[in-house]
Amino acid sequence: MEKYFYRYLPIVIICIALIFQYNLFVTPEKLEVKHREILGDIAQNYSTKEQYNDLKNQLNAMQIKIDKIYEVIIEIEGGNK
């Protein structure tokens, strides 16, 4: 039994070294850190649905005001001719 153990021991050591070298198994702490990084990047680069809806409502309100101003200008120009 020990004969086989010593025969395959270098292969087992190399496999364990490769596992640690390439980080094939992730600890929960490292996973949590990466998760927080991803959430930070998402929050920095993308907007929420609420922010999008608020911006959309503001743009609609601005468009209504611009339309009213345009109508007033058209009425003034029509009255001058």
Side-chain angles (χ1 to χ4, degrees):
M1 177 78 178
E2 289 182 20
K3 185 178 185 182
Y4 292 112
F5 179 73
Y6 291 124
R7 182 176 180 185
Y8 293 110
L9 185 63
I11 295 172
V12 170
I13 292 173
I14 289 174
C15 290
I16 293 172
L18 289 175
I19 287 171
F20 283 115
Q21 182 177 3
Y22 291 113
N23 292 325
L24 295 180
F25 298 107
V26 179
T27 62
E29 293 83 18
K30 287 183 182 179
L31 192 60
E32 181 65 27
V33 168
K34 191 64 172 175
H35 182 255
R36 294 293 171 199
E37 288 176 10
I38 291 171
L39 287 178
D41 290 343
I42 289 172
Q44 189 176 29
N45 294 328
Y46 298 101
S47 65
T48 63
K49 189 172 183 178
E50 292 82 20
Q51 291 173 337
Y52 170 75
N53 288 334
D54 289 341
L55 183 61
K56 186 176 173 183
N57 291 335
Q58 288 176 2
L59 289 175
N60 286 337
M62 286 175 49
Q63 185 64 40
I64 291 170
K65 291 176 184 177
I66 290 172
D67 289 341
K68 287 180 182 178
I69 292 171
Y70 181 73
E71 288 174 5
V72 169
I73 292 174
I74 294 297
E75 288 176 9
I76 293 172
E77 289 292 322
N80 288 338
K81 289 184 179 178

